Amino acid sequence: MKNEALQDLIGSWIPDLEFSEEASQFLNISVKPEQLHHLMTALKNNPETYFDYLFCLSGVDWEPELGVVYHLESTKYRHIVVVKVKTEDRENPIIDTVSDIWRTAEFHEREVFDFFGIKFNNHPNLKRLFLTDEWDGFPLRKDYVDDINMVIK
């Protein structure tokens, strides 16, 4: 399915999604946090899209927003989309988990939690993955400062 047809189909499910191709070959979808889980479930379960493979989940600090970018592929139809979700709440960033949809998200959401501090609602085991429990702050945020370990050029 071409990007235009994907956009028409997906846009009929949730009317206020934002679409772009951002100089890439993949359709980019921006979704509000409260609509994320519904969209992701539909992307995987709809027989016309069947996005059965979550191949990348990354935390991003867009400053002031924090967010997550998901790369999805349908191994059946060979189409790919990029889904982006943002929250402006830097003090308590919360996004719904997609680990109940794609099991591989469990590990990646823990990594995002560890380095960006984004909490994932309904995650089965949300805890630090790489850093110790005593670690203060989230080192991949743009406003993170560590006077001891910071490398300055």
Side-chain angles (χ1 to χ4, degrees):
M1 186 178 298
K2 301 244 187 249
N3 287 351
E4 187 176 304
L6 275 172
Q7 181 174 334
D8 291 343
L9 175 63
I10 297 165
S12 71
W13 303 338
I14 302 173
D16 54 346
L17 297 173
E18 292 179 27
F19 296 92
S20 71
E21 290 189 18
E22 295 181 8
S24 82
Q25 66 190 47
F26 308 126
L27 180 64
N28 287 257
I29 306 167
S30 295
V31 61
K32 295 176 184 172
E34 60 272 11
Q35 299 169 323
L36 176 70
H37 198 270
H38 172 71
L39 173 64
M40 298 302 241
T41 301
L43 288 171
K44 181 172 183 194
N45 295 333
N46 186 291
E48 293 181 76
T49 56
Y50 191 64
F51 286 101
D52 58 325
Y53 180 36
L54 169 67
F55 66 89
C56 187
L57 184 161
S58 304
V60 181
D61 185 349
W62 280 293
E63 206 169 53
E65 299 98 348
L66 291 170
V68 180
V69 176
Y70 307 84
H71 289 79
L72 307 174
E73 181 176 1
S74 169
T75 59
K76 180 177 181 179
Y77 299 119
R78 309 309 282 174
H79 48 236
I80 295 174
V81 295
V82 177
V83 177
K84 298 177 182 180
V85 61
K86 297 178 183 180
T87 177
E88 292 183 20
D89 187 352
R90 292 182 77 82
E91 296 303 313
N92 191 30
I94 300 173
I95 295 173
D96 289 333
T97 187
V98 296
S99 65
D100 57 321
I101 304 169
W102 298 280
R103 184 87 192 266
T104 189
E106 266 186 55
F107 174 83
H108 297 289
E109 288 175 349
R110 285 181 59 190
E111 181 181 26
V112 169
F113 169 70
D114 209 5
F115 291 126
F116 290 92
I118 298 172
K119 297 177 188 109
F120 292 89
N121 279 332
N122 301 314
H123 190 282
N125 189 24
L126 191 62
K127 62 182 181 181
R128 287 201 181 266
L129 184 62
F130 297 106
L131 303 173
T132 64
D133 289 334
E134 297 79 32
W135 192 277
D136 187 29
F138 306 103
L140 292 185
R141 288 190 183 190
K142 290 180 180 176
D143 56 2
Y144 179 75
V145 176
D146 182 349
D147 295 328
I148 297 169
N149 298 307
M150 192 68 84
V151 176
I152 300 174
K153 293 182 180 184

